[in-house]
Amino acid sequence: MFATLFFGVLNPKTGKLYYINGGHEPLYVINSSGVKTMLKPTGPAVGMMPDTRFNIQQIDLQPGDMLVGYTDGVTEARSPEDELFSKKRLQSLLEQPFISASDLLERVRSNLFAFIDIAPRNDDVTMLAIQHATG
């Protein structure tokens, strides 16, 4: 058995984020211009190998930057025609201008559930977005 995880500690005043990504889907850092970077795994999924050490990474979120995380249930959701929602489709939604974290999450949610329609759901659909305050 194994689990993926993303663990981060964010200083909301400075925007400094320390994190590890244990085999989880990469998180996006986006701003008004689109995707700035992706926070890729810093180690394997938890429980795959004993005594695994994870590299701690850091990034500085700038004012207005948003960190967006999701489970694979988002990108692997299927339409009634058995088509995947896909990372490409998710990224295209993240590249569009946004007003707030809740606005962005609602955009993805509404597009995702319109895509799924009446198809059976096989996995959880979980998303998180936080935005570093401006000024």
Side-chain angles (χ1 to χ4, degrees), residues 28 70 75 85-95:
Y28 288 91
Y70 62 95
T75 54
F85 189 73
S86 78
K87 290 179 183 181
K88 181 178 177 182
R89 187 173 274 122
L90 173 62
Q91 188 167 333
S92 74
L93 293 169
L94 298 178
E95 300 245 345

Side-chain angles (χ1 to χ4, degrees), residues 1 28 39 58 71 85 88 93 96 101 108-109 121:
M1 298 298 295
Y28 288 91
L39 307 184
Q58 78 175 51
T71 59
F85 189 73
K88 181 178 177 182
L93 293 169
Q96 297 172 18
V108 175
R109 187 203 66 77
R121 296 182 181 116

Side-chain angles (χ1 to χ4, degrees), residues 18-30:
Y18 293 92
Y19 70 92
I20 62 168
N21 182 340
H24 195 68
E25 296 291 331
L27 278 73
Y28 288 91
V29 176
I30 62 174

Side-chain angles (χ1 to χ4, degrees), residues 68 74 85 90 93-94 103-113 127:
V68 180
V74 173
F85 189 73
L90 173 62
L93 293 169
L94 298 178
D103 169 62
L104 179 75
L105 290 176
E106 177 55 28
R107 175 189 313 144
V108 175
R109 187 203 66 77
S110 62
N111 277 272
L112 177 65
F113 286 106
M127 292 192 69

Side-chain angles (χ1 to χ4, degrees), residues 15 29-34 36 61-67 98-101 130-135:
V29 176
I30 62 174
N31 66 14
S32 60
S33 299
K36 287 178 65 174
L61 298 177
Q62 301 303 309
D65 283 355
M66 189 179 307
L67 179 67
F98 56 85
I99 297 167
S100 65
I130 58 170
Q131 187 172 15
H132 183 41
T134 54

